[in-house]
Amino acid sequence: MCEAIRTVTLIAARQELACFVPPATIYDKHVYSPSTGSDLHLRRREKLVGTIVVTGGETEVCVLATALGAIDWAFRVVLVTDAFCSSADETHDAMMAVYLNRFGEQVE
């Protein structure tokens, strides 16, 4: 029962925020990188997407995998660093340094 309530709440929250993201598309992913095992890069190209804006949880896991997958497919990558979080402050901080210092040519 709690899961059903949570799902309804998330759907309602998403609908309330929809007016802030047109014409963007939100893709839910079920693995670390949405570029793995999917045709997402092809769907992005079909819609003439050139830039991927990355936000999310687990700075050093899912965010990293998503950013690197987009870089591999030659998309411009914008990392919204204020919209990252992690369960471990130390690795989050270390990964932020890597994003800023190592991937400065690949991401904004």
Side-chain angles (χ1 to χ4, degrees):
M1 179 68 170
C2 291
E3 185 64 29
I5 292 170
R6 182 174 163 270
T7 301
V8 170
T9 302
L10 288 173
I11 291 170
R14 194 180 257 180
Q15 290 170 344
E16 289 176 22
L17 297 173
C19 65
F20 296 106
V21 294
T25 303
I26 298 171
Y27 294 100
D28 291 323
K29 63 185 187 68
H30 304 285
V31 296
Y32 294 141
S33 173
S35 299
T36 300
S38 76
D39 65 347
L40 185 55
H41 63 284
L42 296 174
R43 289 189 281 155
R44 290 172 177 162
R45 293 290 185 214
E46 286 173 0
K47 294 187 177 201
L48 303 177
V49 171
T51 301
I52 307 298
V53 178
V54 181
T55 66
E58 296 305 327
T59 307
E60 67 282 12
V61 183
C62 295
V63 171
L64 174 62
T66 300
L68 291 178
I71 291 167
D72 284 345
W73 287 104
F75 288 97
R76 174 178 166 239
V77 178
V78 176
L79 300 177
V80 185
T81 56
D82 288 348
F84 291 170
C85 66
S86 180
S87 57
D89 289 341
E90 186 176 310
T91 53
H92 167 83
D93 294 342
M95 200 63 231
M96 294 302 293
V98 170
Y99 288 139
L100 297 173
N101 296 314
R102 175 60 180 92
F103 295 119
E105 293 296 315
Q106 291 86 5
V107 299
E108 298 173 38

